[in-house]
Amino acid sequence: MKTIIEPFRVFAVYPIRMTSREDRERAIRDAGYNVFRIAARDVIVDLLTDSGTGAMSSEQWAAVMRGDESYAGSESFTRFEAAVRDIYGFRHVIPTHQGRAAERILFQTVCRPGDLVPNNTHFDTTRANVEHAGAEAIDLPPIESRELGVPRPFKGNMDVDALEALLEERRGHVPLVMLTVTNNSGGGQPVSMANIRSVSNICREHGIPLYIDACRFAENAWFIRNHEEGFAQKPYIDIAREMFSYADGCTMSAKKDGLANIGGFLATNDGRLARQELDLLILTEGFPTYGGMAGRDLEAIAVGLYEVLEPDYLEYRMASTRYLGRHIADHGVPIVEPPGGHAIYIDAAAFCPQIPPRELPGISLTVELYREAGIRGVEIGTVMFGSEEPGRPSTAPHELVRLALPRRTYTQSHVDYVVEAILAVFARREEMRGYRIVEAPKTLRHFTARFESL
Ligand SMILES: *Cc1c(COP(=O)(O)O)cnc(C)c1O
């Protein structure tokens, strides 16, 4: 069969409240034209994030009922730890309430002021935690990733020449190297096995540990199996195991490819480091056999980590992202090519070129998508990465709008609805106008800023 269907039946439903254009006009105005300030009940299709917003399976809900809520030595932790060790292969597994807690513990343990942490592209919380530990976060994306509209495989790779040069130049000041799979801030683009291997070899030559930011490891494994030579016959779980075999540890948000609504972990092969990390864990997260999660969360993740590697699930997951991307791009909507794993990124600067970056084209597009059909995307551009502080760039390198697909949550007709809305806005793109910030905090301003149209 050519038709790829959702490989599940619906077993509980959450109603969507249909709104009128007038309802939405009022909601977006009251929200200061910032979609983060809109109540979820006023949203029809919510593509704000794929983090923690997916649907759990019947097996996960069954596992939830088995949750052992013992403070110490919970059986749920034993099952969680066994799943993580089996798939990721690291010896020490440290549970955390979500990915950023794992990052905070890792960087606080290994980074000293003046250190550098290279990454293909840091996710925003990763960058913030590196900087909070007094170190500098350096992105080393490949040159071809700058050409947003040009489809090339593995645009999420790290530039290995740049890494080697940096390690030579700053010898002794790089406590670890990180690889983010898939590369979230870089358009959800994958990293090839060859690139993971090269980065690992360079790290080993320099005696520097390599960590994987593993949030979307299963989606990355799909790209390796389907787009890299030599993997077509390999089961996804073995591809995942090979990816991690080149690393010394990882951070993970189970809200992504853990198929859970909350949770995460830090893992490492270094026993001495793990002991220091556990001290920090106990101080701020919890005892080492729950780390800020309930026993039932540990159970849901232990099941989710296997379900996310099922071939039917991954085929459907990638088909739905690609379907959204192709159906808008084939009608001329400029997107980051090729479609990434979890999201489609519209190039807002090219969508409405009459709006210059300082007039926030990404905000204009998120507002229009909400007005048109109650769709919530997120600006990844000047509001998120620009700054009014002296010495920092005022605009971002790209003006993107991300439409992230929650896992196992929306069906093809929801995606068709989104496609229709985007094409309707695209047809009247010349009428779109810019916005300006009327009120914003100094840091992470995208969450709470208010705007007005120009
Ligand atoms: C979501 C995410 C994180 C942080 O995880 P949280 O669970 O949101 O704290 C880190 N890195 C990447 C690549 C992510 O997508």
Side-chain angles (χ1 to χ4, degrees):
M1 290 295 296
K2 284 199 281 300
T3 310
I4 298 171
I5 61 168
E6 289 85 8
F8 47 79
R9 289 176 287 144
V10 174
F11 106 114
V13 296
Y14 207 102
I16 290 175
R17 197 177 67 95
M18 292 305 190
T19 52
S20 66
R21 197 174 273 269
E22 295 74 62
D23 293 337
R24 296 195 291 270
E25 196 54 61
R26 195 177 328 111
I28 190 79
R29 197 184 50 231
D30 292 350
Y33 300 97
N34 183 346
V35 293
F36 276 104
R37 304 179 71 113
I38 292 178
R41 70 186 296 274
D42 293 329
V43 175
I44 293 178
V45 180
D46 204 345
L47 306 182
L48 187 70
T49 174
D50 64 322
S51 180
T53 50
M56 293 213 295
S57 68
S58 48
E59 286 302 312
Q60 283 179 295
W61 282 110
V64 160
M65 294 306 293
R66 200 167 54 215
D68 174 359
E69 306 300 344
S70 303
Y71 192 96
S74 153
E75 281 207 53
S76 298
F77 178 73
T78 309
R79 282 190 278 272
F80 168 88
E81 182 184 46
V84 175
R85 279 196 182 140
D86 180 35
I87 297 167
Y88 295 71
F90 300 118
R91 276 195 287 284
H92 306 281
V93 180
I94 300 169
T96 58
H97 77 278
Q98 58 184 89
R100 67 197 68 183
E103 293 169 346
R104 206 261 308 165
I105 291 171
L106 173 64
F107 298 131
Q108 209 155 310
T109 309
V110 303
C111 291
R112 298 287 159 265
D115 281 348
L116 299 181
V117 177
N119 197 320
N120 44 349
T121 307
H122 286 85
F123 180 65
D124 56 6
T125 62
T126 321
R127 169 175 291 279
N129 275 296
V130 167
E131 290 172 357
H132 188 70
E136 194 184 339
I138 311 266
D139 290 341
L140 302 175
I143 288 172
E144 64 257 32
S145 69
R146 285 185 216 153
E147 294 173 296
L148 300 183
V150 182
R152 288 205 189 85
F154 302 108
K155 280 165 97 175
N157 282 350
M158 178 178 273
D159 181 338
V160 288
D161 295 334
L163 176 67
E164 278 205 283
L166 185 78
L167 295 185
E168 286 299 327
E169 195 184 312
R170 303 299 298 267
R171 208 171 265 280
H173 294 283
V174 180
L176 80 170
V177 172
M178 280 200 104
L179 264 181
T180 306
V181 303
T182 57
N183 193 335
N184 186 0
S185 310
Q189 301 293 319
V191 180
S192 70
M193 194 71 88
N195 190 249
I196 299 176
R197 226 181 270 132
S198 311
V199 170
S200 173
N201 286 339
I202 294 169
C203 287
R204 279 177 194 175
E205 277 163 29
H206 286 79
I208 297 172
L210 170 63
Y211 274 68
I212 293 186
D213 178 339
C215 298
R216 297 179 183 80
F217 75 102
E219 293 173 5
N220 202 80
W222 182 91
F223 282 103
I224 289 176
R225 178 168 161 152
N226 292 279
H227 293 294
E228 190 167 353
E229 215 171 291
F231 293 94
Q233 305 304 324
K234 210 169 175 176
Y236 290 116
I237 194 165
D238 292 340
I239 296 175
R241 285 177 180 138
E242 183 177 338
M243 283 161 50
F244 295 118
S245 73
Y246 300 118
D248 302 284
C250 77
T251 56
M252 174 75 189
S253 167
K255 302 175 74 171
K256 288 48 172 280
D257 276 352
L259 295 179
N261 301 119
I262 195 71
F265 55 87
L266 168 61
T268 174
N269 282 330
D270 183 335
R272 198 182 50 86
L273 200 61
R275 275 194 300 281
Q276 294 172 24
E277 289 166 348
L278 285 173
D279 290 344
L280 265 184
L281 183 83
I282 292 171
L283 191 65
T284 57
E285 288 276 304
F287 193 74
T289 58
Y290 71 87
M293 282 182 281
R296 60 183 84 100
D297 302 325
L298 295 164
E299 295 279 358
I301 297 166
V303 174
L305 289 174
Y306 287 102
E307 287 185 352
V308 79
L309 290 164
E310 283 172 10
D312 290 347
Y313 164 75
L314 280 173
E315 280 310 323
Y316 136 79
R317 171 75 176 154
M318 295 302 160
S320 38
T321 313
R322 205 165 51 233
Y323 182 92
L324 172 57
R326 285 274 62 82
H327 279 76
I328 59 174
D330 291 351
H331 287 88
V333 176
I335 66 167
V336 175
E337 291 274 15
H342 67 296
I344 292 300
Y345 294 68
I346 299 177
D347 181 353
F351 190 102
C352 38
Q354 74 275 23
I355 306 176
R358 68 193 145 70
E359 294 179 8
L360 316 176
I363 294 302
S364 183
L365 182 52
T366 56
V367 170
E368 289 314 315
L369 291 177
Y370 180 75
R371 267 198 184 120
E372 184 69 26
I375 296 161
R376 177 153 67 172
V378 62
E379 188 249 24
I380 300 202
T382 283
V383 176
M384 196 178 273
F385 295 121
S387 172
E388 250 128 61
E389 278 173 57
R392 292 212 173 214
S394 62
T395 57
H398 302 295
E399 302 298 330
L400 303 176
V401 168
R402 185 185 74 183
L403 304 171
L405 292 164
R407 293 172 180 77
R408 304 190 293 204
T409 301
Y410 292 114
T411 65
Q412 184 171 343
S413 71
H414 292 114
V415 178
D416 286 333
Y417 174 92
V418 173
V419 168
E420 182 184 332
I422 294 170
L423 296 181
V425 173
F426 190 57
R428 58 175 174 79
R429 62 191 180 277
E430 278 162 22
E431 299 161 16
M432 287 168 61
R433 293 290 165 265
Y435 281 77
R436 67 178 200 91
I437 297 176
V438 287
E439 160 195 328
K442 272 210 167 58
T443 55
L444 296 175
R445 59 184 185 169
H446 53 287
F447 291 126
T448 54
R450 285 178 173 274
F451 308 102
E452 77 186 8
S453 86
L454 292 167

